[in-house]
Amino acid sequence: MQTHFGFQTVDEQEKERRVRGVFDSVAGKYDIMNDVMSAGLHRLWKREMVSALAPRSGQHVLDVAGGTGDIAFRILKYCHSGTGRNLRSSTSESPDMDPGLRRDDGINVTVCDINEAMLNEGKNRAIDANRREGLEWVVGNAEALPFPDAHFDAYTIAFGIRNVTHIEKALAEAYRVLKIGGKFLCLEFSHIPNEVLAKIYDSYSFNIIPWIGQQITQDRASYQYLVESIRKFPDQETFAKMIKVAGFGNVNYRNMTGGVVALHTGRKL
């Protein structure tokens, strides 16, 4: 069977190998590149995702494709702040935990990523922050999660689902591992409805982002793939229908920054 790797057509097994290679290559500079490419906007997008999740003490959250721990750290910080006030600062805020977060905040986050190099980045950041309680790091494929049925209160995935070979399998796995009433949240690059803005965004994406990738990571090809993978991802309505087909109810999405990204949500009813 064949699938796409960016704009290329490749065998399905080849795609998984290539995607792993992309993130092996960029793992060490992944978060820096996110800041530079989005001018810090990714922090606002992720902040809104965690606010929509509204995690509570006692919950067990699964963050898929979250190897560097960015979302996991933000979830812990949100719970520690009580009202989420620590996430409502400027775009320059750091998701890393301060010393006050060393105690157990009563929430557990399992970070699952197919890429061990990305997970190692997250583990090192947690060690540097002296924060190990409430975090678990698991190597696993989004299409075949190594967890039992109905195990988690919430499932999050940020900028990762477009990289899986079979999106429908990843959605089915998300549904399987969630408890009844569990929340599904997916933050992903999407499609801009405004034609003028879309043309500007395309020009920036294809001409500037790979160049930035070359300057910072010495890897233009990986960021060329990332740009192409965004264009191959389904639009907002199509993806929302896929989430519904997977079994989720209360499916909604919200565009951010004119549709550059969209936050999709649903519940296992």
Side-chain angles (χ1 to χ4, degrees), residues 108-164:
N108 291 290
V109 183
T110 296
V111 182
C112 181
D113 201 300
I114 197 171
N115 189 280
E116 193 166 5
M118 295 285 281
L119 283 171
N120 287 336
E121 285 293 316
K123 289 177 184 177
N124 289 336
R125 292 177 68 189
I127 290 170
D128 289 343
N130 194 24
R131 181 56 156 99
R132 304 184 189 186
E133 296 88 355
L135 287 170
E136 182 182 13
W137 309 88
V138 177
V139 176
N141 190 329
E143 297 181 30
L145 293 170
F147 308 110
D149 296 352
H151 190 63
F152 296 97
D153 299 290
Y155 173 112
T156 61
I157 182 167
F159 306 116
I161 202 163
R162 74 180 187 280
N163 295 310
V164 306

Side-chain angles (χ1 to χ4, degrees), residues 31 34 37 42 52 64 74 81 100 127 149 158 164 174 200 203 246 256:
D31 289 325
N34 284 344
M37 288 189 301
H42 78 102
V64 176
R74 291 169 186 274
S81 69
I127 290 170
D149 296 352
V164 306
I200 295 171
S203 178
M256 301 182 192

Side-chain angles (χ1 to χ4, degrees), residues 13 19 26 31 33 35 49 62 67 104 134 151 164 166 171 179 191 201 218 221 244 246 251-252 264:
Q13 292 182 340
V19 168
V26 305
D31 289 325
M33 277 296 296
D35 272 329
M49 180 186 192
L62 174 64
D104 184 359
H151 190 63
V164 306
H166 304 98
L171 292 172
K179 299 175 183 177
H191 294 248
Y201 180 56
Q218 288 72 57
K244 291 177 183 177
V251 175
N252 291 289
H264 285 80

Side-chain angles (χ1 to χ4, degrees), residues 21-34:
V22 165
F23 289 97
D24 279 342
S25 175
V26 305
K29 298 290 182 65
Y30 182 76
D31 289 325
I32 294 174
M33 277 296 296
N34 284 344

Side-chain angles (χ1 to χ4, degrees), residues 157-181:
I157 182 167
F159 306 116
I161 202 163
R162 74 180 187 280
N163 295 310
V164 306
T165 304
H166 304 98
I167 295 173
E168 67 280 1
K169 288 184 179 180
L171 292 172
E173 281 292 273
Y175 187 87
R176 180 184 67 80
V177 301
L178 279 172
K179 299 175 183 177
I180 297 296

Side-chain angles (χ1 to χ4, degrees), residues 73-100:
F73 296 159
R74 291 169 186 274
I75 290 171
L76 293 174
K77 196 168 192 177
Y78 182 101
C79 288
H80 175 67
S81 69
T83 61
R85 61 182 178 274
N86 284 354
L87 292 176
R88 300 185 182 278
S89 56
S90 71
T91 57
S92 63
E93 99 282 0
S94 171
D96 294 329
M97 289 77 68
D98 55 51

